[in-house]
Amino acid sequence: MKLIFFAFILLSCNAYDDRQAYIIHMDVSVMPAPFSGSESWHMSILTSLSSSTGKAPAMHLYSYKHVMQGFSAVLTSAQLEQIKQVSGHVATYPDSYGQLLTTHTPKFLGLKKESGLWPASNYGDGMIIGIIDTGIWPESKSFKDEGMPPVPKRWKGRCETGTAFNSSLCNRKLIGARSFSKGRKQLHLNISNTDDYNSPRDFSGHGTHTSSTAAGSPVSDVSYYGYAPGIATGMAQKAHIAMYKTIFAGDTKKTAGADVLAGMDQAIEDGVDLMSLSLGLVPAPYYSDIIALGAFAALEKGIFVSCAAGNSGPNAYSIINEAPWLTSVGAGTVDRDFVATVTLGNSTKTIRGLSIYPKSLFVSNVSLYYGLGNTSKESCDSFSLDTKEVAGKIVLCNPMSDIYSQLDEMSRVAAKGAIFITDQGEHLFPEDYSKPFVAVSLSKGKMIKNYIARAADLATVSIRFRETDLGSKPAPQVAFFSSRGPSLISPGILKPDILAPGFNVLAAWVPNRGFYVDNDSLTTDYALISGTSMASPHVIGIAALIKSAHRDWSPAAIRSAMMTTADITDNTGSPIIDMNSRATGSPLDYGAGHINPNKAMDPGLVYDITVQDYIDFLCGLNYTSLQIGMITKRSNYRCTRANLDLNYPSFMVILNNTNTMTQTFKRVLTNVESSSSSYQAAVRTSKGMKVVVKPQTLIFDGLNSTQEFTVRVDIDLSKSTRKQSEYLGNYGYLSWYEIGGKHVVTSPIVSAFAPPQKKNAI
């Protein structure tokens, strides 16, 4: 199983001659007057450090302008102790290192040419999206600039020249491309042309895929080897793309947090409007979380930041990118299946199974083998089948815990193909189909067995591959790998924020990286990839559309618009289910719900949050003045109302080892309509949860008018009829209905048990 997602993993101190990279926070207010800028000051500090005998001098990596006050450098342990004594030193943390973890989604999301968010935003015209990723393949048709508007005059970025990449490859679509690898190189991880490109060019395909999903230009007649055919287009097809390559491939697939921070810093300097990161860190306090630091600096510039929520589901407390000033995105399925048609014998009846076998193949009247009466052969256990009996035939295999060992056995005995009976077919990815096989359900497997019992040795089968079914139900579902809440760092904030398409998403790919099928390497310009990495660029593209239509909205207002208009039901009208358990999901799985772009364009009301509100939240976390200063880059901040009750579009009650709890929330709603309006509160809860809203009616005078209200939540799980889990209490929803109008503003109310000890925190 391969999910395309980056997860940073903290490593112990590297043994390379006692040298390691560090991120060093400095107080710029004590910088001596003679220095013209902070970088020259940082260089002077490093030059002044003494080196132990035989040790290399301290090495400067980056000086940061926006994401933090300070720099990154490679130091020995002795130099580290020296730098801690330098005037202006605030704090030092070891760098963190990481390793590698469409045609239909616009329609599934309701985006249309003739109405709604696409025409209202002019397809994201004027927006600049910064992508922090593995680079980009500029020759892809998804990055052609026909019909693109001119590059905004405020843009300060550039395209750099490097290996297999020239600045002339940029255009009005791809307006910026840079790479950052100093942190990686200090690990002695040089970049060779066989491992990656020492330039913004994408080697792994990930950055090309995410970029085209967010803002790719329309491209006709694309598919993944015949699957998912159609017109591929990004969410915001007239938005500009700027790539910041911070992730490099290679044998070790490591990257440095210092590089990621440098990429975010440069994106802010260049003037992006939005930023997407399909990568993350092990949960850490926000003052030592690189992405949280960078996102806070972006927030202060009005930049909307979207991040992948993680691929560690369905486990609870697995969410990453938890900071409330960024939008955490979970992955959902779409209403599209890839299938093969199975015909038994000469029957006119067919059976549909799941398959994404990429080669053009029609299996016609091939003998069908089933090891009837032998449990090992029925299951196609390792070394259970006889080549003489099976070679050239289609093999039927009973459920096994490991379908990959069945594939190995099928290859060993030279079977022509296989039909796997499994209830886990939806958990397979395109790259798993390295051999021709079909996954059928248990009930359909029983039908095939009954046919074999009747036909005996005369049983034959025909299989037609490369078919795409649209309109499958139910959809969306929460993808089984999508990380779940509650948050470890600030459990009082519901995360993930929202669900977006992240399962088998078709988008641009790199032609130099193939998929292995029948021991052949097949190349493609468009690939089906899954992961929350694919969900985040959907949200960033939609955010670009909203921001283009509402230039004065803050990042918090954009996120609120998405969350309060999200769908909590699927295309059958039933609650969204968890793909893994087949049971009804909860807001800890999908946040506020599945994103609905057209509704998000016109939410009626928003929960807005200012920078000062976030500072008060940090004060409520009991961070020290030093720690808050590291996040805010200020020494003169003040706490106006230290508390954890952020003006968020959701309500989270944490049960501290008890089944009962009472909590009161204070919220403020802002009218984003030009006319006056009134709203009436309505609450939906399960037994064991009582919610009282005061006042019940809110009256708004006009644009930007505000109204306060309180929500009291009483939890008594002894009265709940819902089956309890180890982490979820119960949940409900508060909706504000516009009186005589169309707007409905909905927020989840969730009770959950306190997370376990923060063993993964730094």
Side-chain angles (χ1 to χ4, degrees):
M1 180 188 306
K2 295 181 180 178
L3 297 179
I4 304 298
F5 177 78
F6 297 107
F8 281 90
I9 301 173
L10 291 180
L11 303 178
S12 60
C13 191
N14 212 311
Y16 294 129
D17 57 21
D18 189 34
R19 301 171 76 238
Q20 185 179 0
Y22 294 91
I23 294 174
I24 302 145
H25 294 258
M26 301 294 292
D27 182 357
V28 73
S29 67
V30 303
M31 182 177 68
F35 292 104
S36 59
S38 57
E39 183 169 353
S40 60
W41 179 39
H42 301 155
M43 296 294 289
S44 175
I45 292 172
L46 293 174
T47 302
S48 68
L49 299 179
S50 62
S51 299
S52 302
T53 303
K55 304 294 185 181
M59 182 173 67
H60 176 264
L61 296 177
Y62 303 100
S63 288
Y64 304 106
K65 296 180 181 179
H66 304 282
V67 293
M68 58 171 279
Q69 290 181 347
F71 62 102
S72 53
V74 181
L75 307 170
T76 65
S77 57
Q79 291 165 345
L80 172 62
E81 294 307 313
Q82 291 177 54
I83 212 166
K84 288 180 179 179
Q85 306 306 315
V86 171
S87 176
H89 175 266
V90 175
T92 297
Y93 289 95
D95 193 4
S96 50
Y97 304 106
Q99 54 190 26
L100 287 180
L101 289 161
T102 157
T103 53
H104 184 62
T105 53
K107 182 178 180 181
F108 179 64
L109 293 169
L111 293 170
K112 301 177 181 179
K113 291 182 178 180
E114 63 275 10
S115 63
L117 184 53
W118 261 355
S121 66
N122 196 18
Y123 300 90
D125 184 5
M127 293 293 102
I128 302 172
I129 301 175
I131 307 287
I132 315 295
D133 216 301
T134 66
I136 196 164
W137 195 269
E139 294 87 354
S140 170
K141 292 181 180 179
S142 288
F143 307 123
K144 67 181 187 294
D145 64 354
E146 296 173 15
M148 281 294 298
V151 178
K153 293 182 179 180
R154 56 190 166 79
W155 175 242
K156 297 185 291 183
R158 64 182 178 87
C159 275
E160 66 181 36
T161 296
T163 305
F165 198 97
N166 191 286
S167 59
S168 63
L169 291 170
C170 286
N171 54 24
R172 287 176 296 172
K173 167 59 71 176
L174 177 62
I175 64 173
R178 299 177 185 244
S179 62
F180 302 84
S181 59
K182 291 180 181 178
R184 171 188 171 84
K185 289 175 181 175
Q186 69 83 25
L187 282 174
H188 297 194
L189 298 175
N190 293 323
I191 301 167
S192 68
N193 293 340
T194 58
D195 292 336
D196 207 325
Y197 302 101
N198 193 14
S199 73
R201 183 173 291 279
D202 189 7
F203 184 87
S204 69
H206 188 275
T208 299
H209 198 277
T210 56
S211 298
S212 60
T213 299
S217 298
V219 183
S220 300
D221 301 321
V222 304
S223 70
Y224 174 75
Y225 305 113
Y227 293 99
I231 300 174
T233 184
M235 298 297 102
Q237 56 190 258
K238 284 192 177 181
H240 307 281
I241 296 170
M243 169 55 64
Y244 299 86
K245 181 177 178 177
T246 63
I247 313 294
F248 291 78
D251 294 336
T252 54
K253 297 182 180 178
K254 293 178 182 175
T255 191
D259 294 337
V260 174
L261 200 59
M264 297 180 76
D265 193 68
Q266 189 64 57
I268 296 171
E269 175 74 12
D270 289 346
V272 303
D273 299 296
L274 309 98
M275 196 184 304
S276 179
L277 297 94
S278 291
L279 50 91
L281 289 157
V282 172
Y286 300 134
Y287 53 81
S288 60
D289 182 331
I290 284 173
I291 292 178
L293 291 173
F296 195 93
L299 159 77
E300 293 183 294
K301 300 288 186 180
I303 299 170
F304 181 93
V305 180
S306 172
C307 293
N311 288 353
S312 298
N315 298 322
Y317 316 109
S318 58
I319 198 81
I320 61 172
N321 292 321
E322 306 161 71
W325 47 86
L326 55 79
T327 299
S328 305
V329 188
T333 65
V334 298
D335 63 338
R336 177 177 63 190
D337 285 334
F338 305 112
V339 300
T341 301
V342 177
T343 303
L344 302 174
N346 296 319
S347 173
T348 57
K349 293 183 179 180
T350 59
I351 294 173
R352 306 277 270 180
L354 299 177
S355 184
I356 319 179
Y357 181 69
K359 289 187 176 181
S360 179
L361 177 66
F362 176 60
V363 176
S364 179
N365 291 318
V366 174
S367 295
L368 180 58
Y369 174 88
Y370 180 58
L372 185 63
N374 185 316
T375 302
S376 179
K377 289 186 176 182
E378 287 180 357
S379 298
C380 305
D381 288 346
S382 296
F383 299 99
S384 65
L385 302 179
D386 189 334
T387 303
K388 295 179 181 179
E389 294 180 338
V390 175
K393 298 180 180 179
I394 300 294
V395 182
L396 178 67
C397 300
N398 271 347
M400 271 185 67
S401 59
D402 182 10
I403 200 170
Y404 304 104
S405 63
Q406 290 180 323
L407 277 172
D408 290 341
E409 181 67 359
M410 166 188 158
S411 180
R412 186 187 69 82
V413 296
K416 189 173 185 63
I419 300 173
F420 295 135
I421 303 172
T422 175
D423 56 2
Q424 300 295 308
E426 292 180 340
H427 291 209
L428 298 171
F429 298 106
E431 58 266 37
D432 294 328
Y433 289 87
S434 59
K435 299 289 181 182
F437 72 87
V438 185
V440 301
S441 65
L442 303 185
S443 60
K444 291 178 180 178
K446 186 176 181 179
M447 294 170 58
I448 299 173
K449 289 179 184 179
N450 290 338
Y451 161 72
I452 294 174
R454 296 192 304 270
D457 293 339
L458 299 178
T460 61
V461 65
S462 299
I463 304 176
R464 184 182 299 278
F465 292 91
R466 284 190 174 182
E467 298 185 12
T468 301
D469 273 354
L470 297 179
S472 58
K473 298 179 180 180
Q477 302 174 42
V478 182
F480 65 91
F481 54 79
S482 188
S483 288
R484 318 299 168 95
S487 164
L488 283 169
I489 305 304
S490 48
I493 301 294
L494 176 64
K495 292 286 182 172
D497 291 305
I498 203 161
L499 199 70
F503 190 79
N504 282 342
V505 174
L506 184 74
W509 196 245
V510 292
N512 65 309
R513 183 181 176 191
F515 294 85
Y516 286 94
V517 179
D518 295 327
N519 298 319
D520 294 330
S521 180
L522 302 183
T523 59
T524 179
D525 291 331
Y526 288 83
L528 290 166
I529 305 295
S530 297
T532 53
S533 280
M534 286 61 248
S536 177
H538 276 91
V539 166
I540 209 68
I542 293 166
L545 298 174
I546 297 172
K547 190 173 180 69
S548 181
H550 303 285
R551 299 295 176 105
D552 59 336
W553 282 14
S554 69
I558 294 172
R559 178 178 58 224
S560 174
M562 293 176 175
M563 292 177 64
T564 60
T565 59
D567 295 325
I568 58 175
T569 56
D570 58 30
N571 56 1
T572 70
S574 301
I576 294 174
I577 67 171
D578 179 350
M579 180 183 180
N580 187 67
S581 66
R582 297 295 181 187
T584 299
S586 80
L588 293 181
D589 305 319
Y590 52 69
H594 192 271
I595 193 167
N596 187 318
N598 292 323
K599 287 185 179 179
M601 174 186 66
D602 184 20
L605 308 173
V606 297
Y607 293 84
D608 210 352
I609 307 174
T610 67
V611 172
Q612 183 60 50
D613 293 330
Y614 289 119
I615 293 175
D616 289 340
F617 173 79
L618 295 173
C619 298
L621 287 173
N622 293 322
Y623 285 175
T624 66
S625 297
L626 178 67
Q627 292 164 345
I628 295 175
M630 289 163 59
I631 299 170
T632 64
K633 305 175 297 300
R634 308 173 190 180
S635 58
N636 61 343
Y637 75 89
R638 61 190 181 93
C639 295
T640 58
R641 191 174 68 93
N643 75 103
L644 297 176
D645 189 17
L646 198 58
N647 195 41
Y648 220 71
S650 56
F651 303 85
M652 190 80 173
V653 179
I654 297 301
L655 304 169
N656 293 310
N657 299 317
T658 177
N659 286 332
T660 61
M661 177 67 72
T662 296
Q663 188 167 340
T664 300
F665 302 88
K666 180 181 178 181
R667 292 289 190 271
V668 179
L669 279 165
T670 301
N671 184 20
V672 291
E673 297 296 310
S674 57
S675 59
S676 59
S677 57
S678 300
Y679 285 78
Q680 181 72 36
V683 174
R684 290 165 287 166
T685 63
S686 55
K687 288 186 177 180
M689 175 183 282
K690 179 182 178 182
V691 177
V692 177
V693 182
K694 293 183 179 179
Q696 281 279 302
T697 303
L698 300 179
I699 300 174
F700 297 88
D701 295 333
L703 182 65
N704 294 328
S705 60
T706 62
Q707 288 293 333
E708 295 183 357
F709 66 96
T710 61
V711 177
R712 173 175 165 151
V713 181
D714 293 294
I715 303 295
D716 185 352
L717 295 184
S718 67
K719 298 179 180 179
S720 176
T721 57
R722 197 187 68 80
K723 182 180 179 181
Q724 298 301 302
S725 73
E726 61 177 337
Y727 60 96
L728 177 64
N730 47 17
Y731 63 92
Y733 293 91
L734 163 64
S735 295
W736 290 99
Y737 286 85
E738 185 179 15
I739 300 172
K742 63 179 182 179
H743 298 107
V744 181
V745 184
T746 300
S747 296
I749 307 170
V750 186
S751 67
F753 292 100
Q757 190 68 27
K758 300 174 184 178
K759 57 185 178 180
N760 288 329
I762 303 171

